[in-house]
Amino acid sequence: MTLANFWPFEPRPVWLPVVEKLESILSDAKGMPTCIIVNAPTGAGKSPFAVALLRWLQSFEQRGTILVPNGELQRQYQTDFRDLVSVWAENTYQCAAYRQKCHKTREIKGGNCPNCPHKAALARAQGGMSLMNMHAFASYKKLKRIPTPDLLIVDEAHKLVDFQLEQAGKARLWRHLHDYPRDLHTAEDLVKWLDMKLRSAPAPIHKKAKAALTNSKQQVLLEAGFAKYRGSE
C-alpha cells in the first residue's frame, strides 16, 4: 500500500506529488540516514501528513516519533489523532497508588509502582507511533530510556534551532558556575561529580547554587534508576 492510503482522510491533491517523491527518496535510501525537509504553509495539512507517515512506517513494523516544540501542539495532536501514543515528561504523571507524582514515588520507593502510568506510556511508545515534545525526547534519549526511532518527524522544525541553543546555553552556564567537566559520559559519572562538588563546596556557598547541585543529583539518581546509590548528602 502507498503512503496516500494511510492518510487520516482523503489527502489534498497538492500532497500527491510530495508523497510520490518521498516514497522514491526513502526507497533509494535503502535504510541509510536521510534528512527530508517539507516546507508548507499553516493549514496545508502537515499534521495529517506526519501521522500518515507513521502509520505507513508501522505497516513495515518500524517505529516513528513525532516531535513538537511545546505541550500545546502535543495536546492538539493527541486530540486529533487518538492512535498516537503521547509521552510526556515523568513529572507530569500522577501515581495513583501513592497519590503523588511518579518521579517522587520512584525516588522514595526505589522503583515504579506496579501500575505506573509513566512506565506504561513508555512501554506503549515502543509500539511504533509515539508523540513527544522536544524537551521530553531529549531527556529520555540522554538517559537511554527510549530506543532510537526509525523515523523522526520534527513538526515546526525551525524551532529546533532555538531549542538546541537553549540547551547549549544551560551547559555553558553550568560550566561557568560549577566548573562542569566535559568528560562525563554516564549518569553515574555525573552523580559522583555532583557528590564531589557538594563535599568540596565552601561553607558560605550560595543557597541557590547548593540547591541546584542537590536537586540535579536527586534528578539524575531518579531518572537513571540508581535507587541503591548512596553518596554524600
Side-chain angles (χ1 to χ4, degrees), residues 7-228:
W7 226 268
F9 40 78
E10 188 68 23
R12 297 176 182 176
V14 68
W15 283 105
L16 297 181
V18 177
V19 167
E20 292 178 4
K21 183 66 174 178
L22 184 66
E23 289 178 334
S24 174
I25 292 173
L26 293 178
S27 176
D28 293 341
K30 301 185 186 303
M32 295 297 292
T34 304
C35 178
I36 301 171
I37 299 175
V38 178
N39 189 6
T42 302
K46 295 188 295 294
S47 297
F49 173 60
V51 173
L53 267 172
L54 289 196
R55 292 174 178 173
W56 182 58
L57 192 73
Q58 193 176 40
S59 71
F60 297 103
E61 298 184 349
Q62 292 183 304
R63 294 189 302 267
T65 299
I66 296 176
L67 281 193
V68 294
N70 53 57
E72 181 180 355
L73 188 53
Q74 185 171 353
R75 281 186 287 272
Q76 182 180 326
Y77 263 101
Q78 192 173 339
T79 300
D80 294 343
F81 308 104
R82 296 303 180 94
D83 53 343
L84 292 177
V85 178
S86 187
V87 180
W88 300 82
E90 186 176 20
N91 62 6
T92 63
Y93 291 88
Q94 187 74 17
C95 174
Y98 297 99
R99 297 184 180 181
Q100 60 187 358
K101 297 296 185 181
C102 286
H103 71 283
K104 290 292 184 182
T105 297
R106 195 149 70 91
E107 180 180 3
I108 295 171
K109 300 296 181 181
N112 300 102
C113 64
N115 298 313
C116 176
H118 174 248
K119 186 177 180 180
L122 287 177
R124 290 197 306 273
Q126 311 306 315
M129 294 178 56
S130 58
L131 167 70
M132 302 183 200
N133 63 60
M134 294 175 183
H135 289 86
F137 182 81
S139 174
Y140 290 138
K141 284 300 297 176
K142 185 179 294 185
L143 296 169
K144 298 181 179 180
R145 301 192 67 184
I146 55 173
T148 300
D150 299 296
L151 176 67
L152 185 64
I153 301 172
V154 184
D155 197 337
E156 299 193 16
H158 60 284
K159 294 185 178 180
L160 191 59
V161 175
D162 291 336
F163 171 73
Q164 295 290 354
L165 289 174
E166 175 190 342
Q167 299 304 303
K170 289 179 181 178
R172 285 196 297 272
L173 180 63
W174 266 77
R175 282 195 290 271
H176 174 70
L177 294 178
H178 306 296
D179 300 322
Y180 185 81
R182 297 172 182 269
D183 58 349
L184 300 183
H185 301 294
T186 68
E188 188 172 8
D189 291 339
L190 179 55
V191 171
K192 290 179 179 178
W193 175 77
L194 288 167
D195 269 341
M196 181 272 294
K197 291 295 292 184
L198 286 170
R199 285 196 302 269
S200 61
I205 185 173
H206 195 283
K207 288 184 178 180
K208 288 186 178 180
K210 186 169 184 178
L213 289 168
T214 304
N215 290 340
S216 295
K217 175 191 168 183
Q218 291 174 345
Q219 187 65 22
V220 171
L221 288 172
L222 170 66
E223 293 292 347
F226 294 147
K228 297 181 179 179

